[in-house]
Amino acid sequence: MENLILDCDPGHDDAVAILLAAGNPQLNLLGITTVAGNQTLEKVTRNALAVCAKAGIRVPVAAGAERPLVREQLIAGEIHGASGLDGPVLPEPAFDLDPRPAAQFIVDTVMTQPAGTVHLVPIGPLTNIALAMRLEPRLVSRVKSVVLMGGAVGVYGRTPVTEFNIQADPEAAAAVFEAGWPITMVPLDLTYQALATDEVLARIGAEGGELGTFVVEMLTFFGNQYRKERGLPAAPVHDPCAVAKLIDPAVFTSRPAFVAVELTGTWTWGQTVTDYRGQLGRPHNAEVADRLDTVRFWDLVTDAIVHLHNS
Ligand code: BDR
Ligand code: CA
């Protein structure tokens, strides 16, 4: 059983990550924290609660940072819509937020669990994680690992060289990569392999009942946006790839690298610079995901949805 805190900005793929984290019996989801990213904090927090209500998930949800550490706020309305989760009808929240700010929730949870037993899985901008590190520097030696969705090695994302989660708060991302804890980075290069094809959607719809229909409605909207905005053939369902690693380490392969975040380039700020070959003379600070086993991945996602639907 792996313990995790999911730090997210739902977001269509974040919503699927919530379902995977809560619906897989090998994971113990200790809480969900939200951060401004795909939409404003208010919207993504409402969406997190709506997904929990829809799926019958009952875990603490704590709202976090309203804006990045330093920069102007970026949102991704062109991909996720005005609500941040356009497509399906969203239910009303079924419970109240945890009263603590996300960073405090993360610190309290990690520091009260035995050392080395909690994974952090950030799948939005890294603001809450950087704030939690500042609040409690011992956090870094206490967590088991950080498995983050973010960055791009060689594919096109929000700009020709950047990926949204890192560019939305590059100073926070730089702090996380520099901290010295075990990091797995799940970049766009990996998540562009997690395409919600027509076959994938048909299976989720057929097996997942009402919750499956909700997921299909979400991913249909998401896929249309990606076709329009990025020319992809279907929706890349980024965020659950990070969660899947904790369930089945064989779901993707990775290679060690030194990863730095560009903070000053005129055209490149927010880029992740991934050095596999030691050309920059720095020690490796991350495992960088490179090849996804798509069959294993979609089995995990579908099984979690079916499990939640049946429970
Ligand atoms: C990342 O950005 C967001 O739009 C998605 O939820 C994902 O976390 C992909 O670049
Ligand atoms: Ca996200």
Side-chain angles (χ1 to χ4, degrees), residues 7-14 38 80 122-125 149 163-165 238-239:
D7 184 60
C8 61
D9 59 337
H12 298 71
D13 53 325
D14 300 80
N38 287 324
H80 296 273
I123 54 176
M149 190 281 134
E163 180 281 327
F164 177 79
N165 289 342
H238 313 278
D239 292 339

Side-chain angles (χ1 to χ4, degrees), residues 91-168:
E92 288 302 313
F95 57 87
D96 291 335
L97 287 174
D98 189 283
R100 290 166 288 182
Q104 188 66 56
F105 176 86
I106 291 169
V107 167
D108 290 351
T109 307
V110 172
M111 298 312 284
T112 51
Q113 294 287 326
T117 61
V118 179
H119 300 275
L120 299 183
V121 183
I123 54 176
L126 289 153
T127 323
N128 288 341
I129 309 299
L131 290 173
M133 285 163 53
R134 198 180 283 171
L135 213 54
E136 176 49 273
R138 288 176 299 168
L139 190 74
V140 170
S141 57
R142 187 106 182 161
V143 305
K144 187 165 180 184
S145 80
V146 178
V147 187
L148 65 91
M149 190 281 134
V153 180
V155 305
Y156 158 79
R158 189 175 173 275
T159 75
V161 296
T162 61
E163 180 281 327
F164 177 79
N165 289 342
I166 304 297
Q167 189 164 32

